[in-house]
């Protein structure tokens, strides 16, 4: 399948800074001034990303594979009701919709490129938002291509672009996904990966090793550790599925990939021998989320309510050791410790102004509040002599 709306000019990596400002600053400034408004689905929707939360609270998930991850379900009215904390990173410029490669937008479908339908990502993101603390925002980074051989996603582009519909500046899908993921890391934290692929490679026993290599390369190149990797099963034979035999290869991925888990496709019906129905895609997305929620913390870091810090006790100045604070205002006017402010205190102050002890205890001797010990403080002290 080809895109209905494409643009020959894609935004490259060199465009991520604008007039000295970071991409995050530029996009946030646009949102703050109302410049982040795009036409979406016939209505005006304001882009809300990157959200104004910490990188730790913007949870990002990579999503790649072929047509079932791309999304082939019919977009209905209910699918356009999107939580404002759910975002998608645009994976291809779509001039007809006003979407630019590498820009965040509210995750109203289609999420993959310019034309795809409902897929697992849609209800994965909704469910993650519903289950997460309200301080958490969720972003998906799609890079799925109909008919893709697994080799399209291998590092080094061993089969090149393979006549697949990916942005023109990339030699293969690995480079494409990596570029998007690195952009996502500028504003958020990658928490996991979603994967659905295998119809094109059904029955190939080396497929699972290629998948493991791709995941290992991504984790290394992105420095994200062993984040959860979720692989969905292919359609079951009872729904006339073409490729259930390949589920035995998918079942072995957890043995090859640390923190890998399989998402069941049991009971998910079809629209044809390759693709799930629209309702099945919704349910599949929920299942991906239910599995992911077992492996990630979505409680939030509660930045808005930091633990109170107890103020240090006021032990008084270290010099001179017998100074007192006669009026309990936190300032030490009685330098000689005789219980009153007198002329001897003025003399002691004058003699000690340049001493290391007084300079280290400025907060106790700065009577005029200008942040230093000076002659104005001396005059102030003289004025207090009884």
């Amino acid at each position: 399948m080809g895109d209905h709306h494409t643009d020959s000019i894609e935004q490259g990596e060199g465009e991520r800074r604008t007039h000295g400002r970071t991409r995050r600053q530029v996009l946030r400034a646009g949102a703050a001034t109302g410049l982040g408004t795009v036409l979406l689905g016939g209505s005006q929707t304001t882009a809300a990303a990157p959200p104004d939360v910490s990188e730790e609270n913007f949870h990002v998930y990579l999503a790649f594979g072929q047509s079932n991850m791309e999304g082939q379900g019919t977009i209905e009215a209910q699918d356009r009701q999107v939580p404002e904390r759910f975002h998608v990173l645009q994976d291809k410029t779509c001039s007809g919709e006003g979407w630019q490669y590498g820009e965040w937008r509210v995750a109203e479908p289609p999420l993959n490129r310019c034309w795809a339908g409902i897929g697992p990502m849609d209800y994965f993101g909704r469910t993650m938002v519903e289950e997460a603390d309200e301080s958490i925002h969720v972003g998906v980074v799609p890079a799925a291509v109909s008919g893709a051989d697994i080799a399209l996603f291998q590092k080094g582009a061993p089969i090149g672009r393979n006549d697949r519909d990916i942005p023109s500046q990339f030699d293969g899908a690995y480079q494409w996904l990596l570029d998007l993921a690195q952009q996502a890391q500028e504003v958020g934290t990658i928490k996991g990966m979603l994967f659905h692929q295998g119809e094109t490679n059904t029955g190939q026993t080396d497929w699972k090793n290629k998948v493991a290599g791709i995941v290992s390369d991504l984790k290394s190149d992105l420095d994200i550790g062993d984040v959860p990797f979720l692989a969905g099963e292919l359609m079951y034979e009872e729904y006339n599925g073409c490729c259930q035999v390949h589920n035995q290869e998918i079942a072995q991925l957890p043995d090859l990939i640390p923190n890998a888990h399989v998402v069941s496709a049991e009971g998910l019906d079809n629209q044809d021998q390759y693709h799930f129905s629209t309702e099945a895609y919704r349910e599949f997305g929920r299942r991906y989320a239910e599995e992911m929620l077992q492996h990630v913390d979505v409680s939030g870091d509660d930045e808005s309510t930091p633990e109170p810090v107890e103020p240090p006790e006021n032990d008084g100045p270290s010099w001179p050791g017998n100074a007192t604070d006669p009026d309990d205002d936190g300032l030490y006017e009685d330098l000689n410790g005789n219980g009153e402010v007198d002329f001897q205190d003025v003399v002691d102050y004058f003699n000690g102004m340049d001493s290391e002890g007084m300079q280290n205890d400025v907060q106790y001797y700065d009577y005029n509040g200008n942040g230093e010990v000076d002659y104005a403080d001396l005059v102030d002290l003289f004025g207090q002599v009884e």
Side-chain angles (χ1 to χ4, degrees):
M1 295 183 183
D3 280 2
H4 295 274
H5 304 287
T6 57
D7 198 36
S8 60
I9 302 175
E10 303 289 349
Q11 182 173 331
E13 190 166 349
E15 294 181 88
R16 294 188 198 164
R17 283 191 170 267
T18 303
H19 302 300
R21 294 188 293 172
T22 66
R23 179 181 186 79
R24 186 187 190 97
Q25 291 168 332
V26 170
L27 292 177
R28 280 187 173 170
T33 58
L35 298 179
T37 300
V38 295
L39 283 175
L40 199 64
S43 62
Q44 283 198 328
T45 303
T46 298
D52 194 13
V53 295
S54 67
E55 293 181 15
E56 292 75 16
N57 277 6
F58 188 17
H59 292 189
V60 174
Y61 298 90
L62 311 184
F64 65 107
Q66 55 184 105
S67 57
N68 277 310
M69 182 58 73
E70 184 179 62
Q72 307 299 319
T74 301
I75 300 171
E76 299 175 350
Q78 62 178 302
D79 305 314
R80 297 197 181 280
Q81 305 305 310
V82 184
E84 63 179 8
R85 292 188 288 120
F86 180 28
H87 314 269
V88 62
L89 185 62
Q90 186 61 33
D91 60 355
K92 187 176 176 66
T93 292
C94 304
S95 57
E97 289 79 5
W99 303 336
Q100 297 297 314
Y101 175 82
E103 291 187 353
W104 289 98
R105 61 179 174 89
V106 176
E108 184 174 344
L111 303 190
N112 203 89
R113 287 171 293 155
C114 310
W115 60 268
I118 291 295
M121 283 182 285
D122 293 271
Y123 284 81
F124 167 81
R126 286 166 168 78
T127 306
M128 295 300 291
V129 167
E130 289 169 2
E131 296 297 326
D133 182 82
E134 63 181 12
S135 66
I136 300 295
H137 286 240
V138 173
V140 290
V141 177
V145 187
S146 294
D149 188 289
I150 191 60
L152 186 69
F153 292 96
Q154 286 185 287
K155 189 173 182 177
I159 62 172
R161 297 170 55 84
N162 198 227
D163 294 324
R164 299 296 101 185
D165 181 29
I166 63 176
S168 58
Q169 69 267 40
F170 301 113
D171 294 331
Y174 183 90
Q175 185 185 11
W176 175 37
L177 176 56
L178 182 66
D179 182 71
L180 288 165
Q182 289 171 336
Q183 292 191 51
Q185 285 183 309
E186 295 176 8
V187 296
T189 301
I190 295 174
K191 290 290 187 177
M193 304 185 204
L194 316 180
F195 177 73
H196 195 280
Q197 196 275 342
E199 293 90 349
T200 299
N201 302 94
T202 295
Q204 297 177 11
T205 57
D206 63 339
W207 172 88
K208 56 185 174 292
N209 296 311
K210 292 178 180 179
V211 174
I214 292 166
V215 175
S216 178
D217 286 338
L218 284 170
K219 289 180 176 180
S220 176
D221 288 344
L222 295 168
D223 192 23
I224 54 177
D226 284 322
V227 298
F229 173 80
L230 308 188
E233 289 186 317
L234 307 190
M235 189 187 300
Y236 281 27
E237 287 182 356
E238 64 183 287
Y239 297 104
N240 196 34
C242 65
C243 313
Q244 181 178 350
V245 65
H246 197 69
N247 285 340
Q248 63 189 14
E249 299 297 322
I250 295 173
Q252 297 178 62
L253 291 177
D255 297 328
L256 301 173
I257 302 171
N259 206 9
H261 311 275
V262 175
V263 180
S264 173
E266 183 178 2
L268 300 182
D269 63 6
N270 70 317
Q271 58 177 297
D272 58 42
Q273 63 178 329
Y274 302 105
H275 304 117
F276 298 98
S277 69
T278 299
E279 185 52 43
Y281 281 125
R282 296 182 184 118
E283 174 60 23
F284 214 1
R286 296 185 191 104
R287 292 182 184 183
Y288 271 93
E290 288 165 3
E291 182 65 41
M292 188 65 74
L293 286 165
Q294 297 183 43
H295 310 288
V296 298
D297 179 9
V298 294
S299 61
D301 60 16
D302 203 16
E303 293 180 317
S304 59
T305 56
E307 290 295 321
V309 178
E310 294 294 330
E313 294 186 7
N314 186 350
D315 295 327
S318 59
W319 180 94
N322 58 343
T324 70
D325 176 13
D327 55 3
D328 293 322
D329 65 350
L331 298 172
Y332 285 69
E333 299 92 348
D334 175 26
L335 275 70
N336 61 13
N338 66 354
E340 59 184 32
V341 180
D342 56 25
F343 189 72
Q344 186 58 50
D345 294 316
V346 177
V347 173
D348 290 347
Y349 193 99
F350 176 79
N351 290 331
M353 285 175 64
D354 294 328
S355 69
E356 182 177 352
M358 185 172 277
Q359 292 299 323
N360 287 338
D361 289 330
V362 169
Q363 68 270 31
Y364 301 117
Y365 298 118
D366 177 23
Y367 306 133
N368 66 0
N370 68 350
E372 58 186 31
V373 171
D374 56 22
Y375 282 99
D377 296 309
L378 183 66
V379 172
D380 191 298
L381 181 61
F382 181 77
Q384 300 181 52
V385 173
E386 299 175 353

